Structures are given as C-alpha cells and as structure tokens.
Amino acid sequence: MPKLTVDGQEVTVEPGTTVLQACEAAGKEIPRFCYHERLSVAGNCRMCLVELEKSPKPIASCAMPAGDGMVVKTNTPLVKKAREGVMEMLLINHPLDCPICDQGGECDLQDQAMAYGRGLSRFGEQKRAVSEKYLGPIVKTVMTRCIHCTRCIRFATEIAGVEELGATGRGEHMEIGPYVEKALTSELSGNLVDVCPVGALTLKPYAFAARPWELRNVESIDVHDAVGSNIRVDYRGREVMRVLPRLHEDINEEWISDKTRAAIDGLMRQRLDRPYVRRNGRLIPATWAEAFGAITAKLKGVRGPRIAAIAGDLVDAESMFALKLLMAGLGSPNLDCRQDGAKLDHGARASYLFNSTIAGIERAGALLLIGTNPRLEAALINARIRKRYLRGGFKIGLVGAKADLSYRYEHLGADAEVLREIADGRHGFAETLRQAERPMLIVGQGALARRDGAAVLALSRRIAENSGMVKDGWNGFNVLHTAAARVAGLDIGFVPQAGGLDTDGIVAAAGRGELDLLFLLGADEIDTSALGRTFVVYQGHHGDAGASRADVVLPGAAYTEKDGTYVNTEGRAQVGARAGFPPGDAREDWAIVRALSEEFATAGIGPILPFNTLAELRSRLCALVPTLAAVDSITPAPWSAFGVDGPTDTQPFASPIGDYFQTNAICRASKTMAECSAARTPAVKGATGTHG
C-alpha cells in the first residue's frame, strides 16, 4: 500500500486513494468545490492545490493518485498564494448578493473565501450575468452564482441516471443548465441543492423563508416510503421549514427523495385539528368527550367479531400496538396493516423483509425484479441498484411492466407464467441467476397485492431456493415495501387473528352490513365507497379519503409531531423524533387510543390499556417484539417455507404507484407535490412539457 509523507507525517493509504484523501487521512483540511466523495473526479475548480515534492507547479490533489514515497505539503507559501489566486478567479463574476442568498450561512464559497481568500480583488471589470434555468418546482436557480464545479451535472448523470444537465458554451460564455428547458425527470432532483457548493441551486419552496440560524432541528426518519431514510427536520415554531438528509451509509447514504424533501408543505394544509361527529349527514365539530361518547354508544352491545380495524401506511409501531391491544380487549380478531391487500406471509419473517439489506445490493451478482418499479416505489434503492450496475458484471431481469429504471435490464415478460418458467429452470435467466455468485430478487407489492399474491410469493421463494440465493452469509430473497408502517405492523402481529378477516374481507363484510364499527388508523388507500352503512371511526392527521367517509373523526399527529418507531423494508427499527406539536386539539395516536380505552372501561365495554406513558408502551412493545428494541440494527430472519402453491392469473404485473408525487395524504395536501405531478405528466395535464 502507498506510504506518503504529508507535512512531515507519514500516512499509509489504500491503492487508488487520491492525494486529497491521503491528506485528510493525515488530518489536514483541503478546500474543494468540484470534488465530492460520491461523484467522479472533475478536477476543474483547482481549489485543492497542494505542493508535491519534485513537481514544477502545485497539483490538484483531488485528481492525483497517491503514490508510494510522495512528499506532500499543504501549508506552504506557494500553496497559500495558489489558493488565493484560485479564489480570486472564482469571485471575478460572482455576484455580491450574499444578504439575499438562501445559501447564506451554509455556503462553501463564503466559508472558503474567508479562510483562503485574499480579502480583496484586483478585478474591477463588470461582472457577467446568466439567465435563470427552469429545473422544476423543487430546485430554484440563480445561475449567475454558478462557479462551474459541475457537481450537479455529475450527480444527475451518475447518481440519478438522468442525463438532462450539461454545459453549453465555452470560456466565459459557458453556462450550466438543462439541454431542454423542462422539469427534471428524476425523483432525486432535490439533492442538487445539497451538492451545489454555492447559491446557484437552492430549494424553491424554501426560498426567502428563513435563515439557518433561526431554525431548530431534530433527527428523524422519513415515512413517505419504506426505505427509512435518515433525515434532519428543521423547524421554526410549529412549522416544518425544510427536511435535509442525514448520513447513513447502509440506508440512504447522504441522499433523500424529492417527496421526503419537498412534501412538507402538506403538513400545514388540510389538517384535522379537532374531533368531528357526523350528524344528519354532515361532519360537525365536536369535543373529545362528544366524539368518544358517539363511539361508545355505537359499541354498546356489539360483539367483537362485528368490529374491525385497518392501519394505514404512515403509522408508527406504538400506535398500531396500542390499537391491537384495544381490539383484543373488545374481542375483535379483524385487524390488518396491509391496506393494499398484499398476500404477505406474516408467519415467516424472512418472507416479508429485504433480506439482502439495501447496502447488500452492492455485493450482488445478478438481480431479478418481480412486479416492481423501484424508481417509483423506493427511489433510493433504485439509485443503489444503479450504483451496482455501473460497476459492471450485473445482469438485471424484469418481470412486469416495462419502465425507465435508469439502468439497462432484460425484460423477461409481464406475468406470473414467466416466474414459473424461471422456478422450473426452463427460462434462460434461471441459468444467469444460478451462475451469479450472490444472486438476488426483489418482489414488489404489484406482484403480491393480487388475488394470486400468495402463489406469486411461493414462486418467488422457489426461484430463490433453486438459484442458490439462500446460503450462509447471504439471503437474496427480498420484498420491497411501499409503506413505512408495513414491516412494523407485520412484526407486532397487526394481522387477522384466529378466524379474523383481512383487509379485503373487512371491506367486503362492511359492504354486506356484517360489521357494525370499523376503525381506520390513518388508512386512506382503501375503497371507502365500498364500506356500506358501517359506522367508521377515522383517526388521522389529514382530511383525506378516510376522514371524508368517517362518522367520527379523531385528529392525530403527523410523523414530525410525535416520537415513534418505524421499521424499514430491511427490518431495521429506527426512531423518529418530534419537531413540533400537532395543531389545535390533535393528539398523538397512541394517547388517543389509550384515552378511548378508558372511556370504554367506564362504559363497561372493555379494559383500560395497561400503560400511561409512551415509555411504558414501548417497554411492553419491545418485550413482545425484541427486534424493535435493537434500534438501527438488523436481525437476520430464519429461512422457512412460505407462500401457497397454486394457480396464477394471466394478468400482467403492474406497479402499485401510478403518480409518484401523490401516494399518501401528506403528498396529496402538498402544493409542491401537485406542481411536481403536473410538471411530470404534461400529456395528462394538457401541457407541452416545456416551461412557458
């Protein structure tokens, strides 16, 4: 391994390490603009110049491979003068608009100008101006500030997989922008704001809203998909101002999806801030006592089998566990967390986890996608697949609807018959999987949320077993969830108990008049028009589909307004933190369920739930499900038989997500998400696709 001397200190690094990385390993700070750890080397800003012994001039440390015996100096007068010259050149055309720039206080150019600049400029010529570029509703551009580091181009091309940004012109006429002026078609476009080292690209919904030193922040978890991205929530008062990514190498690295970043304005719109009771066909504002009284009156004399509960996609584990205990106290076996009707086998944990782990994708040798579009269902997992694909030697096959996944794949077919051929070894891709060192498959909800979902699950298991996907140190069978609440719900057993009904059965029974009361805990994605005359209690935070059908509405807290545990698609438990309090009379979901149980106990309907605080509830929850106590770690699930062998439909697989920007109540309440949806679907909206 190369051994270098950096400012008199010897340091040994891995082969392929750059001089810049070697200097950092020695504890030296090297300024940079164009260099980014996750992007290819451009070497065009020259801010990282260092002095190399026997070199006639300073070298760009980001582009120079570290060699054995190199002697590097980072703090000589030559290096200082070179950096001052580079900074002076960068500021020739940079506008003096720091007081109104949204990057102010967090700007690399500001910081490095203070640390490495001369403090004055010898250039008095008129500065050039560059027109703004339209990149969509999320990214705001002020391209006069651009220093041509090309980070945005490299991110769009390499990470996001959309080659829509580039440089046009030469010399001082060079400009960065889209080749065709329209909204970027990436679900990761908001990360351009993070990689931009200056104020050329900023967050459009956050423009002129706040300064960073005005904000408080908490570290939390995203719930817009099942990836479990680590985020930082910045807030002022009760309002969430922005969401930024937190570094987690095993999950989201340092990226987040556009929904995670920009749907937060939906947290302030269409909120439920007080209880409602339906009287004479209309929902009327009520007190908590009146709402509880209406539910209690309806439940008197009702047997447990005529009561049911469905949990939605954004619910935390504690709230589902509390509702499960309440339903058990009422004697009801009818509960389900799979509101899409997915035929997941909750008896075998390996059957519903992403067993390879997200980071494990980078070790895989071949991939079979079944009924999933990971670009829409989990954009960051799709980016991880692309990252592995770009290294080469990674064949990908898709069974399902064709889609632009930002990497090449072989379309094997659209229905379950292809899976049967692969499972039986009659398809060519079966040999591809067998020959791969670590093959894997990903089965999506589009394949499982069907009548034949259990048979598709069994076929997927057979493929995994026959292809050598399950062996010591590797489990290549993966289920990709779309709901943040799904894995936790399955782990705690929020599924039909003995003799109970699943989601499809609950909806059908309600339509036939066989249910007297249905609890919807944030469940908005079911067909509420099929519930007949069943008395519906909706508990949630937005006035969405569930609330509009409800007979009683109980206002809950959104994910930024409560502490809660979420389990991602890998089975990794993570804890989200509260950034503010819910509006009006709204309360945390677990507390509402606990208060409701007390009302029931007073009326002689059921017992009081055995906890008074969130800590007590978590203690009981972790005692029942120990994996929830192991925060930010993965417990491998034992392999066993699952699924049901049987006939499959000829109907093609389809992704469960039609509009990426409208997948839950928060997104549907978001103005920014509505603008993104309109920009991405011009044909449907009657537009041309260009920005007028």
Side-chain angles (χ1 to χ4, degrees):
M1 293 193 296
K3 182 179 290 186
L4 300 79
T5 301
V6 179
D7 291 342
Q9 176 183 344
E10 281 195 352
V11 57
T12 302
V13 296
E14 296 289 334
T17 302
T18 64
V19 172
L20 185 149
Q21 293 170 321
C23 292
E24 290 191 332
K28 305 299 179 180
E29 180 180 332
I30 305 297
R32 84 291 300 266
F33 290 113
C34 69
Y35 176 78
H36 191 283
E37 290 82 355
R38 301 187 194 277
L39 304 176
S40 61
V41 174
N44 55 6
C45 78
R46 320 310 284 182
M47 194 65 205
C48 64
L49 294 174
V50 296
E51 189 175 346
L52 179 63
E53 192 176 74
K54 298 181 182 179
S55 174
K57 59 182 180 180
I59 64 161
S61 60
C62 70
M64 175 67 72
D68 193 48
M70 279 186 172
V71 178
V72 180
K73 299 176 182 178
T74 68
N75 55 5
T76 64
L78 176 63
V79 171
K80 181 177 184 296
K81 184 176 181 180
R83 290 173 179 172
E84 288 177 351
V86 169
M87 182 60 67
E88 192 174 7
M89 294 290 289
L90 287 173
L91 294 176
I92 289 175
N93 285 309
H94 200 80
L96 302 175
D97 60 355
C98 294
I100 63 165
C101 178
D102 275 320
Q103 198 80 346
E106 300 171 316
C107 178
D108 290 350
L109 187 62
Q110 277 184 338
D111 296 340
Q112 294 186 40
M114 288 291 294
Y116 304 103
R118 295 181 68 241
L120 55 90
S121 174
R122 292 169 288 178
F123 296 93
E125 291 79 8
Q126 188 170 347
K127 296 177 182 288
R128 77 167 189 165
V130 180
S131 61
E132 294 187 16
K133 308 295 190 293
Y134 177 73
L135 300 181
I138 295 178
V139 181
K140 172 181 169 61
T141 65
V142 184
M143 300 312 294
T144 302
R145 301 171 184 159
C146 179
I147 61 171
H148 300 168
C149 71
T150 70
R151 279 190 185 182
C152 56
I153 299 174
R154 285 175 283 146
F155 174 85
T157 303
E158 298 166 12
I159 307 296
V162 291
E163 298 182 1
E164 298 174 346
L165 290 178
T168 57
R170 299 183 67 184
E172 72 169 10
H173 300 293
M174 176 179 168
E175 296 184 14
I176 305 292
Y179 297 115
V180 178
E181 195 153 316
K182 63 180 182 66
L184 295 176
T185 58
S186 172
E187 296 75 25
L188 303 172
S189 65
N191 293 289
L192 295 174
V193 175
D194 295 331
V195 300
C196 182
V198 296
L201 304 178
T202 55
L203 192 60
K204 188 175 288 187
Y206 177 70
F208 309 120
R211 288 298 193 183
W213 52 84
E214 300 172 353
L215 306 178
R216 301 176 66 187
N217 65 77
V218 296
E219 295 183 348
S220 191
I221 305 299
D222 173 53
V223 301
H224 288 286
D225 55 30
V227 176
S229 298
N230 284 224
I231 58 175
R232 191 188 88 191
V233 181
D234 287 1
Y235 64 99
R236 183 175 59 191
R238 197 182 66 79
E239 184 177 2
V240 175
M241 302 302 295
R242 63 179 180 177
V243 168
L244 299 175
R246 281 192 293 129
L247 179 67
H248 197 303
E249 294 289 355
D250 292 335
I251 302 178
N252 57 302
E253 297 182 298
E254 59 186 83
W255 320 120
I256 53 175
S257 71
D258 286 351
K259 273 192 298 190
T260 304
R261 187 184 301 270
I264 55 171
D265 61 320
L267 293 169
M268 300 296 291
R269 295 184 171 92
Q270 295 181 265
R271 290 301 304 270
L272 299 173
D273 59 357
R274 67 186 70 180
Y276 288 85
V277 176
R278 190 176 296 276
R279 296 193 178 97
N280 300 321
R282 295 182 58 193
L283 285 171
I284 306 299
T287 64
W288 280 104
E290 291 170 339
F292 285 174
I295 300 171
T296 303
K298 185 66 181 179
L299 275 177
K300 285 185 177 179
V302 175
R303 295 181 298 109
R306 296 186 66 85
I307 305 169
I310 300 175
D313 294 347
L314 309 181
V315 187
D316 57 282
E318 290 85 355
S319 300
M320 283 188 286
F321 183 59
L323 183 55
K324 181 189 177 185
L325 295 178
L326 180 67
M327 296 298 291
L330 296 174
S332 172
N334 309 314
L335 61 158
D336 205 345
C337 63
R338 303 162 295 184
Q339 64 171 337
D340 59 358
K343 304 302 186 290
L344 294 160
D345 191 339
H346 53 84
R349 194 166 189 255
S351 71
Y352 60 81
L353 292 185
F354 203 95
N355 295 285
S356 300
T357 72
I358 296 172
I361 293 172
E362 298 186 32
R363 301 168 54 216
L367 170 63
L368 175 63
L369 299 171
I370 303 172
T372 181
N373 181 341
R375 182 170 174 179
L376 298 182
E377 298 166 29
L380 291 162
I381 289 181
N382 194 67
R384 189 80 75 149
I385 295 172
R386 173 176 170 79
K387 182 179 180 181
R388 172 63 186 90
Y389 168 81
L390 291 176
R391 288 196 353 239
F394 190 55
K395 292 185 178 180
I396 303 172
L398 171 66
V399 179
K402 291 183 179 180
D404 179 6
L405 298 180
S406 75
Y407 41 81
R408 292 183 179 179
Y409 60 85
E410 180 183 353
H411 187 247
L412 308 177
D415 57 29
E417 184 57 32
V418 182
L419 295 183
R420 200 174 298 279
E421 293 177 7
I422 298 174
D424 295 339
R426 294 182 286 114
H427 194 286
F429 202 77
E431 186 62 24
T432 299
L433 293 174
R434 280 196 295 268
Q435 291 180 357
E437 183 178 356
R438 281 182 289 270
M440 65 181 290
L441 66 79
I442 299 176
V443 57
Q445 304 307 299
L448 299 176
R450 307 173 4 139
R451 289 181 303 173
D452 62 345
V456 172
L457 187 65
L459 282 174
S460 302
R461 173 180 55 80
R462 281 180 53 201
I463 292 172
E465 292 172 345
N466 295 343
S467 303
M469 291 185 186
V470 184
K471 50 192 174 185
D472 289 343
W474 179 256
N475 186 338
F477 180 87
N478 303 291
V479 171
L480 179 57
H481 292 279
T482 57
R486 189 65 45 80
V487 175
L490 294 169
D491 279 349
I492 67 176
F494 200 96
V495 291
Q497 306 302 296
L501 302 173
D502 61 8
T503 296
D504 292 340
I506 290 171
V507 173
R512 295 191 301 265
E514 298 172 2
L515 288 182
D516 291 323
L517 188 141
L518 172 61
F519 283 95
L520 297 180
L521 181 59
D524 295 291
E525 315 305 325
I526 64 171
D527 183 6
T528 55
S529 65
L531 298 179
R533 295 180 177 274
T534 300
F535 191 88
V536 176
V537 177
Y538 177 81
Q539 181 176 324
H541 41 75
H542 277 78
D544 208 72
S548 64
R549 169 58 184 85
D551 296 285
V552 174
V553 175
L554 306 178
Y559 74 104
T560 58
E561 299 159 356
K562 60 184 175 182
D563 296 315
T565 302
Y566 302 91
V567 184
N568 76 345
T569 192
E570 306 170 290
R572 185 192 302 266
Q574 300 184 102
V575 178
R578 180 172 62 193
F581 291 93
D585 292 333
R587 296 293 183 268
E588 295 182 15
D589 292 314
W590 72 268
I592 295 173
V593 175
R594 169 62 176 77
L596 190 58
S597 75
E598 193 166 341
E599 186 78 16
F600 290 168
T602 302
I605 297 174
I608 298 177
L609 295 183
F611 53 84
N612 293 308
T613 65
L614 182 61
E616 292 177 3
L617 172 56
R618 276 184 176 161
S619 177
R620 287 181 172 271
L621 177 59
C622 293
L624 176 69
V625 187
T627 55
L628 295 180
V631 175
D632 198 28
S633 64
I634 295 177
T635 304
W639 187 255
S640 61
F642 52 82
V644 178
D645 292 326
T648 54
D649 295 343
T650 57
Q651 182 182 2
F653 296 136
S655 172
I657 295 179
D659 189 339
Y660 168 78
F661 298 103
Q662 301 289 305
T663 54
N664 57 56
I666 298 174
C667 291
R668 288 189 286 269
S670 166
K671 179 184 175 184
T672 304
M673 291 295 97
E675 292 174 352
C676 289
S677 179
R680 286 284 293 275
T681 54
V684 176
K685 306 297 180 181
T688 62
T690 57
H691 178 61

